[in-house]
């Protein structure tokens, strides 16, 4: 190639590069021709217009921390004068309440609820559901950083822990049906007539897996662990209520699909999420434990002393493993006692120097000992307690005020005993006693 032609090509290449650079600079100038203050003010206007654009306001299911807590539905109707009408399913008060809000500009644009309303129940550190969250509350926020809009939704991130929160357009039905969320809560908890044991069953279209399922109403949180040997999958699920079922977060992943919306079936108490290609997840009842243990053997003759205690004025009363039927029976006992008296504890002593007995203590009256024998149902992995005497007197009948609750410990079908994986504030191991033929379960500490 001649030198003259080479210079021509080099000149053309340099010219092209200069033109590209000019275009890039022009694009950059167009991109950054607004000052940071202008951009923030534009975002403020954008958010303000968005909040006012939905006739029925906005809905958010707020999972403050889905590793320990469930979701809380909030409805918002914003007004141009800086007021907001808000309702939530945090508790039985689902009525709308009016307060104030502001769109604030700092390093970013944020929506802040400036006067107290339902959303602040999640951020109050003095309002906590379990001892582990003492001084932390429900880990919620009342200031939300604006991150734009997508598919008609407003995207925020919480100021406290940078969690994404989306506002979706609410409907008139959302406001009218909000109290139904709390009806659904009772369906999730389960009535006295429902079996005590639940499982989560997943189907990826070809294979079914089963997991135990334990739900804590105070935190709206569930844990689910595989019961299959060699299959170590588990799910920790925050639960949010809807009028027709529940939302779980994080989603249950089955066969590569994420299932988060479960529909309730009142006929059998199940909740079902359905994907495509036969993929599904079902939370349903079963009449016996998924895994049977040998923990009942602590009560059999010849074993060392064991002492199990349930206490009305201590953390065992709040255990998520206690059944609704237990609480109902405690109320029956107290209703039958004279004024000023109440049941204080139920303790089970096995292989004590004076035998095996159920020890009932009270406020305002002397304790009672129900002496029993313990027989083994080896096939069913249960212990069957049989009456011997009250306070050593074989001729005394069961006191009338204890007859209703005591019969569950004397269940002819026996009792399941299980060491639980959780603790109740103290380090003492936790054991549950479950009637084999009824939905009665009591949580105890193993104190000896």
């Amino acid at each position: 190639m001649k030198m003259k032609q080479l210079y021509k090509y080099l000149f053309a290449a340099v010219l092209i590069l200069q033109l590209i650079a000019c275009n890039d600079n022009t694009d950059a100038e167009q991109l950054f021709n607004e000052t940071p203050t202008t951009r923030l003010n534009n975002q403020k206007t954008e958010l303000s217009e968005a909040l006012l654009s939905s006739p029925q306001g906005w809905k958010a299911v707020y999972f403050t921390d889905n590793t320990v807590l469930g979701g809380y539905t909030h409805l918002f109707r914003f007004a141009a004068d800086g007021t907001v009408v808000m309702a939530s399913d945090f508790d039985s008060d689902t009525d709308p309440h009016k307060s104030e809000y502001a769109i604030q500009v700092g390093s970013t644009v944020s929506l802040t609820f400036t006067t107290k309303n339902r959303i602040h129940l999640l951020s109050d550190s003095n309002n906590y559901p379990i001892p582990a969250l003492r001084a932390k509350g429900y880990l919620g926020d009342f200031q939300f950083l604006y991150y734009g809009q997508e598919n008609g939704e407003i995207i925020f991130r919480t100021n406290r822990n940078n969690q994404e929160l989306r506002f979706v357009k609410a409907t008139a039905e959302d406001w009218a049906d909000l109290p139904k969320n709390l009806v659904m809560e009772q369906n999730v908890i389960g009535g006295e007539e429902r079996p005590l044991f639940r499982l989560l069953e997943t189907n990826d279209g070809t294979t079914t897996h089963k997991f135990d399922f334990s739900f804590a109403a105070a935190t709206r949180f569930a844990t689910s662990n595989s019961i299959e040997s060699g299959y170590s999958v588990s799910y920790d699920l925050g639960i949010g209520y809807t009028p027709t079922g529940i939302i779980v977060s994080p989603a249950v992943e089955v066969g590569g699909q994420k299932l988060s919306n479960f529909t309730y079936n009142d006929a059998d108490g199940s909740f079902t999420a359905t994907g495509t290609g036969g993929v599904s997840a079902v939370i349903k009842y079963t009449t016996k434990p998924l895994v049977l243990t040998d923990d009942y053997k602590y009560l059999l003759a010849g074993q060392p002393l064991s002492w199990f205690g349930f206490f009305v004025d201590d953390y065992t009363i709040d255990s998520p493993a206690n059944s609704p039927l237990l609480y109902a029976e405690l109320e029956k006992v107290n209703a039958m006692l004279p004024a000023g008296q109440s049941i204080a504890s139920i303790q089970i002593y096995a292989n004590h120097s004076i035998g095996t007995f159920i020890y009932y203590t009270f406020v305002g009256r002397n304790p009672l000992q129900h002496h029993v024998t313990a027989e083994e149902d080896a096939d069913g992995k249960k212990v069957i307690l049989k009456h011997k005497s009250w306070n050593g007197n074989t001729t005394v009948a069961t006191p009338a005020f204890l007859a209703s609750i005591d019969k569950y410990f004397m269940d002819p079908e026996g009792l399941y005993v299980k060491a639980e994986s959780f603790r109740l504030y103290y380090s003492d191991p936790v054991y549950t006693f479950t009637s084999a033929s009824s939905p009665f379960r009591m949580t105890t500490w193993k104190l000896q």
Side-chain angles (χ1 to χ4, degrees):
M1 180 181 292
K2 293 181 179 180
M3 188 63 66
K4 186 175 182 180
Q5 289 176 317
L6 180 60
Y7 283 136
K8 284 183 179 180
Y9 287 123
L10 287 173
F11 178 78
V14 171
L15 182 61
I16 290 170
L17 289 172
Q18 287 178 335
L19 290 172
I20 292 172
C22 288
N23 286 337
D24 286 346
N25 288 336
T26 300
D27 292 341
E29 288 172 4
Q30 290 174 348
L31 182 63
F32 294 106
N33 62 359
E34 295 178 341
T35 66
T37 300
T38 300
R39 287 199 303 275
L40 289 173
N41 285 332
N42 288 342
Q43 286 184 326
K44 179 180 180 181
T45 300
E46 177 182 291
L47 176 56
S48 178
E49 291 174 351
L51 293 176
L52 300 175
S53 67
S54 177
Q56 294 297 330
W58 299 87
K59 178 173 73 172
V61 183
Y62 187 8
F63 288 87
T64 59
D65 184 337
N66 64 6
T67 66
V68 290
L69 291 165
Y72 300 85
T73 297
H74 286 73
L75 299 172
F76 311 94
R77 188 182 289 116
F78 297 92
D81 64 357
T83 60
V84 58
V85 173
M86 188 187 308
S88 84
D89 68 355
F90 178 84
D91 54 26
S92 59
D93 180 5
T94 57
D95 292 337
H97 296 269
K98 193 173 184 179
S99 61
E100 297 177 353
Y101 75 96
I103 300 176
Q104 298 176 333
V105 177
S107 59
T108 186
V109 173
S110 64
L111 168 64
T112 305
F113 296 97
T114 54
T115 58
K116 193 171 183 180
N117 207 323
R118 306 295 290 163
I119 196 78
H120 293 83
L121 293 169
L122 299 177
S123 61
D124 181 358
S125 61
N126 293 317
N127 180 36
Y128 53 90
I130 55 175
L133 292 174
R134 188 189 305 273
K136 298 178 182 178
Y138 285 80
L139 306 177
D141 213 333
F142 56 85
Q143 182 179 23
F144 305 101
L145 311 180
Y146 178 54
Y147 270 72
Q149 300 174 47
E150 183 179 73
N151 299 324
E153 300 177 354
I154 306 177
I155 306 170
F156 296 98
R157 285 194 172 275
T158 60
N159 186 51
R160 182 171 184 170
N161 55 14
N162 202 36
Q163 295 260 13
E164 183 179 274
L165 179 66
R166 291 186 174 234
F167 282 21
V168 301
K169 288 185 177 180
T171 66
E173 290 75 19
D174 288 327
W175 292 89
D177 291 347
L178 187 61
K180 294 180 181 179
N181 287 16
L182 299 181
V183 175
M184 191 57 59
E185 178 181 29
Q186 297 307 310
N187 295 328
V188 178
I189 294 171
E192 294 178 20
E193 74 286 353
R194 299 289 192 191
L196 280 179
F197 306 105
R198 274 177 168 158
L199 72 150
L200 169 65
E201 185 176 277
T202 64
N203 188 332
D204 63 9
T206 58
T207 305
T208 297
H209 293 291
K210 293 183 178 181
F211 309 78
D212 60 18
F213 184 85
S214 177
F215 173 72
T219 54
R220 300 189 182 184
F221 195 76
T223 56
S224 205
N225 301 294
S226 172
I227 64 169
E228 302 168 28
S229 177
Y231 188 72
S232 58
V233 175
S234 62
Y235 298 101
D236 290 332
L237 304 170
I239 304 292
Y241 309 129
T242 75
T244 59
I246 59 174
I247 299 170
V248 303
S249 177
V252 175
E253 188 164 345
V254 185
Q257 300 180 38
K258 293 184 177 181
L259 307 178
S260 57
N261 291 287
F262 288 70
T263 301
Y264 177 64
N265 179 0
D266 189 56
D268 60 9
S270 64
F271 293 83
T272 302
T274 305
T276 59
V279 169
S280 66
V282 184
I283 301 165
K284 59 185 180 180
Y285 287 102
T286 179
T287 56
K288 68 177 185 179
L290 297 177
V291 178
L292 299 176
T293 74
D294 289 331
D295 297 322
Y296 71 93
K297 290 187 176 182
Y298 282 112
L299 279 75
L300 301 181
Q303 299 296 316
L305 167 66
S306 291
W307 171 26
F308 303 88
F310 165 84
F311 302 90
V312 171
D313 63 350
D314 216 332
Y315 294 103
T316 50
I317 190 69
D318 297 319
S319 166
N322 289 330
S323 68
L325 183 55
L326 168 66
Y327 297 125
E329 290 298 333
L330 292 172
E331 290 180 4
K332 284 184 184 178
V333 173
N334 290 336
M336 295 186 69
L337 288 171
Q341 297 182 12
S342 61
I343 190 166
S345 73
I346 302 173
Q347 303 171 52
I348 299 174
Y349 287 84
N351 301 300
H352 190 277
S353 59
I354 61 172
T356 294
F357 55 92
I358 304 170
Y359 188 59
Y360 295 95
T361 69
F362 306 88
V363 174
R365 67 179 300 135
N366 292 329
L368 290 169
Q369 296 175 1
H370 189 180
H371 289 263
V372 298
T373 59
E375 297 182 2
E376 180 179 18
D377 176 356
D379 292 336
K381 291 186 179 291
K382 297 175 288 186
V383 62
I384 300 171
L385 302 183
K386 294 188 175 181
H387 167 76
K388 281 181 64 179
S389 71
W390 284 94
N391 287 0
N393 190 333
T394 58
T395 64
V396 174
T398 300
F401 60 88
L402 284 178
S404 184
I405 195 169
D406 188 74
K407 71 176 183 288
Y408 295 106
F409 298 106
M410 301 296 110
D411 187 344
E413 296 297 318
L415 296 171
Y416 296 110
V417 183
K418 180 187 177 186
E420 301 291 352
S421 60
F422 59 87
R423 292 289 181 268
L424 295 172
Y425 192 72
Y426 303 116
S427 61
D428 302 277
V430 174
Y431 282 72
T432 52
F433 288 76
T434 305
S435 167
S437 65
S438 67
F440 179 90
R441 181 168 56 212
M442 182 180 74
T443 301
T444 68
W445 282 306
K446 190 174 188 300
L447 301 167
Q448 176 68 43

